[in-house]
Amino acid sequence: MQALLGCGCESVVVESPGASQPYRPGPADAGRASGRVVALQANYCRVELDAPGPEGCRRLLCTRRSRLDHEGLQVWVGDRVRLEGIDWTAGRAAVAQLEPRRNLLQRPAVANVDRVVVVAALAEPDLDPLQLTRFLVAAEGSGAAVDLVLGKADLVAELALRQACADFEAWGYPVFPLSTRTGLGLAALRHHLRSAAGITVLCGPSGAGKSSLLNALIPDLDLRVAAVSGRLQRGRHTTRHVELFAMPSEPAAADALALFPVAAALVADTPGFNRPELPSDPVVLAQAFPEIRQRLALGLCRFRNCRHLGDLGCAMGTDWPRFSLYRQCLEEVEAIASVPSRVATTTRRRTSRRQTSQGLSRPGREDSDPDHP
Ligand SMILES: Nc1nc2c(ncn2[C@@H]2O[C@H](COP(=O)(O)OP(=O)(O)OP(=O)(O)O)[C@@H](O)[C@H]2O)c(=O)[nH]1
Ligand SMILES: [Mg+2]
Ligand SMILES: [Zn+2]
């Protein structure tokens, strides 16, 4: 399936993997169209149309029909939607229907995700392996492919960079060392992201360099970036909402576009935050570690309810690089699970209220970080 998608800087032909056929309005359908949500702002969605409207109009600012709310349907960036009540002159419409989504990355909330790229800075702020593990575990929760970018490579010595790459590859992820200052690794990452159609989400702590990376990947993009600050060199929560941008196709591929349409990659910039949630189920946590998945594919532990802490009969043992990080995560998950259910419910409600106040349950307000008010 193809759709026209502009990113504010360029229009490209886009494949929409897994989505249904684009809605093609007939004569009886005046005022209707379909497209993809590329950003949420307050109570509005910005929708990129599958086919341009009158005078080449590609984007509409949309409200949501209240029946979506009544049916408990949230709209997120990445969702495919059908529109009605289009006012082409004002550039406005209403989202009438939500197409089924393949998956949802919970935080940052993005639907129909094909790849999550966790961006961690090697310095400024210092790389925190536990925090990085939490981001990777959260990324695994979407079911999408997960890659790791080690950013700000210009700030560390070459030997330290090589060691870091080797260490993190042992975690089971493709690693991309990168510097937007020197250009190191940019071509490799650009090629990697273009190699598959669909939606890639950049996520990671504030100040890691996500928006700088997108500015470097997409010509003419000018996302706001800001220097890290304070003793801990923390980010300043510069990006305030999730937004999708289109990666231009390879020049050679663009020439061949008419004959062999090339799928374009969409990349989401997202607000940084510091402490991703862990899953509540220890089994889900274990499955979010590639090291455990890979080892268990070769031979199972003796007991079905094994906690994979290297006890008798455990196929994992303790001799693997992220063992202590896994143990810390498991202890946290088990501690929360052991809280009596009434308290746990209250805690979950509090978390959910906090998330609602941060706009995580309502579109358009993805902008604050509970760890960093
Ligand atoms: N030395 C160095 N600094 C970089 C690099 N990439 C980004 N920076 C700097 O890191 C700081 C933070 O970059 P941003 O792109 O705003 O970080 P972010 O991850 O988007 O942050 P949030 O929007 O707050 O989540 C800026 O001062 C950038 O100039 C790099 O490769 N090397
Ligand atoms: Mg940013
Ligand atoms: Zn085990």
Side-chain angles (χ1 to χ4, degrees):
M1 171 192 308
Q2 291 173 10
L4 269 177
L5 189 126
C7 64
C9 53
E10 151 144 4
S11 291
V12 288
V13 177
V14 169
E15 290 276 331
S16 308
S20 56
Q21 287 296 309
Y23 175 74
R24 302 224 179 274
D29 293 324
R32 298 195 189 180
S34 66
R36 188 186 292 280
V37 177
V38 293
L40 299 170
Q41 290 168 317
N43 289 325
Y44 295 94
C45 322
R46 246 188 291 149
V47 175
E48 193 82 33
L49 300 173
D50 291 339
E55 296 179 23
C57 175
R58 288 209 167 86
R59 285 186 170 201
L60 293 171
L61 192 61
C62 303
T63 53
R64 287 165 298 137
R65 288 288 188 232
S66 52
R67 67 173 173 270
L68 294 177
D69 287 341
H70 295 152
E71 290 166 21
L73 295 173
Q74 301 280 344
V75 178
W76 298 112
V77 170
D79 269 327
R80 290 196 43 79
V81 292
R82 296 192 177 187
L83 308 177
E84 62 183 21
I86 298 178
D87 178 343
W88 293 109
T89 316
R92 304 287 287 266
V95 174
Q97 235 182 300
L98 194 59
E99 294 186 8
R101 61 173 75 106
R102 284 178 295 126
N103 60 22
L104 178 69
L105 179 67
Q106 295 286 338
R107 190 182 183 205
V110 186
N112 299 315
V113 175
D114 294 277
R115 183 186 301 279
V116 182
V117 176
V118 176
V119 181
L122 285 159
E124 298 182 11
D126 281 349
L127 196 150
D128 172 350
L130 181 57
Q131 183 190 54
L132 176 55
T133 288
R134 299 179 77 103
F135 270 103
L136 293 167
V137 166
E140 294 273 356
S142 68
V146 181
D147 299 321
L148 174 58
V149 160
L150 295 178
K152 308 197 187 182
D154 54 292
L155 296 179
V156 298
E158 200 182 322
L159 196 61
L161 177 60
R162 252 188 273 147
Q163 186 61 54
C165 290
D167 289 348
F168 293 117
E169 266 159 17
W171 290 16
Y173 293 100
V175 173
F176 293 86
L178 198 126
S179 168
T180 57
R181 295 275 160 89
T182 65
L184 173 86
L186 273 176
L189 184 64
R190 191 180 285 120
H191 182 72
H192 181 67
L193 295 183
R194 279 171 172 164
S195 66
I199 294 179
T200 292
V201 179
L202 300 186
C203 68
S206 178
K210 302 176 291 298
S211 304
S212 306
L213 174 55
L214 258 179
N215 283 341
L217 288 172
I218 301 179
D220 301 330
L221 195 61
D222 190 18
L223 298 173
R224 210 157 69 81
V225 304
V228 294
S229 67
R231 190 174 53 82
L232 296 176
Q233 297 282 278
R234 294 260 224 157
R236 296 185 186 193
H237 297 268
T238 312
T239 302
R240 309 300 278 187
H241 68 271
V242 178
E243 184 157 358
L244 280 178
F245 300 95
M247 289 265 297
S249 309
E250 308 268 6
D255 292 344
L257 213 57
L259 282 178
F260 305 105
V262 175
L266 306 176
V267 187
D269 190 21
T270 67
F273 58 103
N274 293 326
R275 200 165 190 274
E277 298 281 318
L278 294 174
S280 55
D281 182 346
V283 176
V284 176
L285 176 74
Q287 283 298 317
F289 282 72
E291 307 94 311
I292 298 182
R293 287 201 303 268
Q294 285 156 16
R295 189 85 64 94
L296 296 190
L298 301 175
L300 294 175
C301 304
R302 184 163 154 203
F303 300 107
R304 255 194 335 151
N305 59 349
C306 184
R307 296 163 71 226
H308 309 306
L309 291 179
D311 300 327
L312 187 71
C314 176
M316 285 304 298
T318 58
D319 186 21
W320 50 290
R322 271 206 296 177
F323 171 71
S324 69
L325 294 169
Y326 166 69
R327 188 173 54 193
Q328 282 179 69
C329 293
L330 182 65
E331 281 168 4
E332 179 181 321
V333 168
E334 289 180 340
I336 292 174
S338 70
V339 173
S341 62
R342 201 163 50 85
V343 181
T345 308
T346 313
T347 311
R348 265 199 303 277
R349 277 207 196 111
R350 275 204 197 115
T351 307
S352 141
R353 262 205 302 274
R354 197 179 61 186
Q355 288 180 344
T356 302
S357 73
Q358 290 156 6
L360 294 173
S361 312
R362 253 184 296 138
R365 300 181 53 221
E366 301 254 332
D367 38 10
S368 47
D369 179 1
D371 319 309
H372 194 106

